[in-house]
Amino acid sequence: MSDHRNGLRRSSINLSDAIIPGLCAGCEARHIGLCDALADEDLHFLASVAKSHTVPKGRMFVAEGDKARHFFNINRGTAKLFKDLPDGRRQITGFVGAGDFVGLAAADHYAFTAEAINEVRLCRFDRTELRSVFTTFPALERRLLDVASHELILAQEQMLLLGRKSAIERLASFLLGWSDRAEICPNGAQALALPMTRADLGDYLGLTFETVSRALSALKRQNIVEVGKDHGVRILDRDRLSAFATSRS
Amino acid sequence: MSDHRNGLRRSSINLSDAIIPGLCAGCEARHIGLCDALADEDLHFLASVAKSHTVPKGRMFVAEGDKARHFFNINRGTAKLFKDLPDGRRQITGFVGAGDFVGLAAADHYAFTAEAINEVRLCRFDRTELRSVFTTFPALERRLLDVASHELILAQEQMLLLGRKSAIERLASFLLGWSDRAEICPNGAQALALPMTRADLGDYLGLTFETVSRALSALKRQNIVEVGKDHGVRILDRDRLSAFATSRS
DNA sequence: TGTCCTCGTTGATTTCGATCAAGGCGATGG
DNA sequence: CCATCGCCTTGATCGAAATCAACGAGGACA
């Protein structure tokens, strides 16, 4: 899970910072922003085509099938991206947080729905305007291609998880990945926050919420993780958790 | 499954054709080539950084973890892309054929392995050289971003399949998707060729080969598909197959 | 020709996770 | 305060797919 960042230069200037100064200050290296591709003085070009928005908890801000008019860059909060089947079954394809770019998985129309898990602040870019910015700053497009490549790698990792891993392996893999993301934006030795519900976790891992709960209990029982009152998780034994993430039983 | 092509202009000139004239002639509109982004007279720039190769059946031509030096464009034949777990479990993330571009899911190192299912002819591009071609022809990079977006859409569709669909739904979804690809390169009312084994299909659909075989038998029993002696499949009732692809039981 | 090997099909049994069910805890609100 | 609701946990049972097993068809090759 750490090699996937190697190919992407870490940003010293985050796009989000440029547009909403002060936000995400502790997170400037978070994941891969759309950052760093522009010189400081060019960032205002991007800012000019961005509109800042706040999405309340539970509100959907992208609907599958809608005409794809915008890209989004998350500044704060967490959202879930998912696809539904007509009978209500749901697959969450990813959780996105500060620094994450949303909207690549779209042709004419969005191929997914996005919903805020808690209050989300984001920047909205018009697709056509962003395209013209690309023409002026090709480095931005290069960066976007890197972001897309990175998402493809993650998607294939998730296919491996969904197609071939057991319930405990899925949960262990998720916790490791989630803690990797979180530690880029370090909150010290704090417990890892899990803003999503067990049901969301199930929809992400291809399990039911009961199975997620049981798998987490199993990890607690073995003193591999600790779950706080606030639902935060602390990883006690990263090595044994890693062992669970790939090996059978 | 048909809307995913809407956002991508169909190519009138296929890159593969330009480099190896005559190949893929019947497939020029196949999937999305890297095509059409360049004017006819500019294609030789691309050709100059490409090397044609033949990969025998069963031979691996990309190994997960290897330094990512090349991109590939398939001209002929079919290959499987996959990831393995240490204990041998395998997830095939995609089958690629004529016109398909391979190598996006890589940062510094490939995140997947690629192996020829039958004899494969392909063009190999040096990554760094291709990058410099981008600088001269930004339209190529734009096209590559479109290809990546399209692959992301497919990957999320596959996550839904792996996480939430039943065995029959998975097989039905695969057959529909596979026939969509094939009909772009029309072989008339012929049966649909399935060059991969049942085991490959299982590794793609997150099932065992026995379950794939049983699901296919179930579709045969209901006269929804017909399986020829050569393992080719003919879809007899596309509507009922579509119904299976999304609905429970 | 016969043997070996890969691939596919089908049947019997097992197992992991889904489903069904009950109850706990904390937040919200009358 | 208690009632309700959302979220989580745990237990009991069920079921879909995995596993184990046997066999058949076709191709490669001595």
Side-chain angles (χ1 to χ4, degrees):
Chain A
M1 278 307 273
S2 64
D3 62 347
H4 65 243
R5 287 190 301 274
N6 292 351
L8 301 160
R9 265 159 309 153
R10 208 59 72 73
S11 53
S12 55
I13 300 151
N14 188 298
L15 175 63
S16 316
D17 275 325
I19 291 159
I20 305 184
L23 268 186
C24 321
C27 278
E28 55 115 59
R30 173 83 187 246
H31 204 213
I32 351 133
L34 197 55
C35 28
D36 197 35
L38 292 186
D40 228 345
E41 60 269 27
D42 290 330
L43 275 170
H44 71 278
F45 271 85
L46 256 184
S48 71
V49 296
K51 287 209 173 72
S52 179
H53 284 270
T54 299
V55 183
K57 170 176 178 170
R59 166 97 100 253
M60 178 185 305
F61 59 96
V62 170
E64 178 172 1
D66 275 7
K67 193 116 183 24
R69 291 187 220 282
H70 304 104
F71 286 117
F72 304 88
N73 202 343
I74 309 291
N75 296 322
R76 192 187 182 78
T78 307
K80 55 187 175 189
L81 313 182
F82 56 87
K83 291 173 73 76
D84 283 343
L85 285 172
D87 65 355
R89 282 174 286 170
R90 170 169 295 181
Q91 182 63 40
I92 293 181
T93 56
F95 298 110
V96 290
D100 285 327
F101 193 78
V102 175
L104 279 170
D108 277 359
H109 301 265
Y110 293 117
F112 63 93
T113 302
E115 187 181 308
I117 286 177
N118 41 33
E119 187 177 273
V120 164
R121 297 230 233 166
L122 49 80
C123 287
R124 209 185 68 179
F125 300 89
D126 186 278
R127 288 190 155 233
T128 51
E129 287 181 37
L130 194 57
R131 291 222 151 188
S132 55
V133 176
F134 285 165
T135 334
T136 328
F137 301 103
L140 248 192
E141 185 158 32
R142 174 76 42 100
R143 168 57 58 108
L144 211 55
L145 190 55
D146 284 344
V147 171
S149 280
H150 179 252
E151 289 202 15
L152 270 174
I153 294 172
L154 293 184
Q156 295 182 358
E157 191 67 43
Q158 191 69 359
M159 288 188 228
L160 178 63
L161 180 150
L162 292 169
R164 292 308 185 196
K165 290 187 182 178
S166 70
I168 288 221
E169 290 171 334
R170 294 182 199 201
L171 184 63
S173 303
F174 165 76
L175 288 174
L176 288 169
W178 190 252
S179 89
D180 279 351
R181 302 183 106 206
E183 83 184 7
I184 303 177
C185 167
N187 47 3
Q190 322 270 41
L192 192 60
L194 294 184
M196 69 293 288
T197 66
R198 297 285 185 268
D200 285 339
L201 235 27
D203 286 339
Y204 182 59
L205 299 175
L207 302 169
T208 59
F209 64 88
E210 293 100 324
T211 300
V212 171
S213 184
R214 276 185 252 268
L216 193 56
S217 296
L219 292 177
K220 279 190 286 189
R221 223 174 300 121
Q222 302 188 245
N223 291 313
I224 294 175
V225 303
E226 195 177 60
V227 180
K229 191 76 178 272
D230 59 343
H231 287 171
V233 169
R234 188 193 304 275
I235 296 176
L236 301 174
D237 191 335
R238 203 175 179 83
D239 291 343
R240 276 201 294 154
L241 193 60
S242 298
F244 266 118
T246 47
S247 311
R248 176 70 78 187
S249 176
Chain B
M1 279 306 273
S2 63
D3 62 348
H4 64 240
R5 286 190 302 274
N6 293 351
L8 301 159
R9 267 159 307 154
R10 207 60 71 72
S11 52
S12 56
I13 300 153
N14 188 298
L15 175 63
S16 316
D17 276 324
I19 290 159
I20 305 184
L23 269 187
C24 323
C27 278
E28 52 116 61
R30 173 81 186 249
H31 204 212
I32 350 132
L34 197 54
C35 28
D36 197 36
L38 293 187
D40 227 345
E41 61 268 28
D42 290 329
L43 275 169
H44 70 277
F45 274 96
L46 257 184
S48 72
V49 297
K51 286 211 173 71
S52 177
H53 283 271
T54 299
V55 183
K57 170 177 176 170
R59 167 97 99 252
M60 178 186 306
F61 59 95
V62 170
E64 178 172 1
D66 276 7
K67 193 114 184 19
R69 292 188 219 281
H70 304 104
F71 286 117
F72 303 88
N73 202 344
I74 309 291
N75 296 321
R76 193 186 182 79
T78 307
K80 56 187 175 189
L81 313 183
F82 55 88
K83 291 174 74 78
D84 283 343
L85 285 172
D87 65 356
R89 282 174 286 170
R90 170 169 296 180
Q91 182 63 40
I92 294 181
T93 56
F95 297 109
V96 291
D100 285 328
F101 193 78
V102 176
L104 280 170
D108 276 0
H109 300 266
Y110 294 117
F112 62 94
T113 302
E115 188 181 307
I117 286 176
N118 41 33
E119 188 177 273
V120 163
R121 295 230 235 166
L122 50 78
C123 287
R124 209 185 68 179
F125 300 89
D126 187 278
R127 290 191 153 231
T128 50
E129 288 181 34
L130 195 57
R131 292 224 149 184
S132 55
V133 176
F134 286 164
T135 332
T136 327
F137 301 102
L140 250 192
E141 187 158 31
R142 174 77 42 99
R143 168 57 59 108
L144 212 55
L145 190 54
D146 283 345
V147 171
S149 281
H150 179 253
E151 289 202 17
L152 269 175
I153 294 172
L154 293 184
Q156 295 182 358
E157 190 67 43
Q158 191 69 358
M159 287 188 228
L160 177 63
L161 180 149
L162 292 169
R164 291 309 186 195
K165 290 186 182 177
S166 71
I168 287 221
E169 290 171 332
R170 293 181 200 201
L171 183 63
S173 303
F174 165 76
L175 289 174
L176 288 169
W178 191 251
S179 89
D180 278 352
R181 301 182 106 206
E183 82 185 8
I184 304 177
C185 165
N187 47 3
Q190 321 271 41
L192 193 60
L194 293 185
M196 68 293 286
T197 66
R198 297 285 185 269
D200 286 339
L201 236 27
D203 286 339
Y204 181 59
L205 299 174
L207 302 169
T208 60
F209 64 88
E210 293 100 324
T211 301
V212 172
S213 184
R214 275 185 253 268
L216 193 56
S217 295
L219 292 177
K220 279 190 285 189
R221 221 174 299 121
Q222 302 187 244
N223 290 313
I224 294 175
V225 303
E226 195 177 62
V227 179
K229 192 75 177 276
D230 58 344
H231 287 170
V233 168
R234 188 193 305 275
I235 296 176
L236 300 174
D237 191 335
R238 203 176 178 83
D239 291 344
R240 276 200 294 154
L241 193 59
S242 298
F244 266 118
T246 46
S247 311
R248 174 71 77 188
S249 175

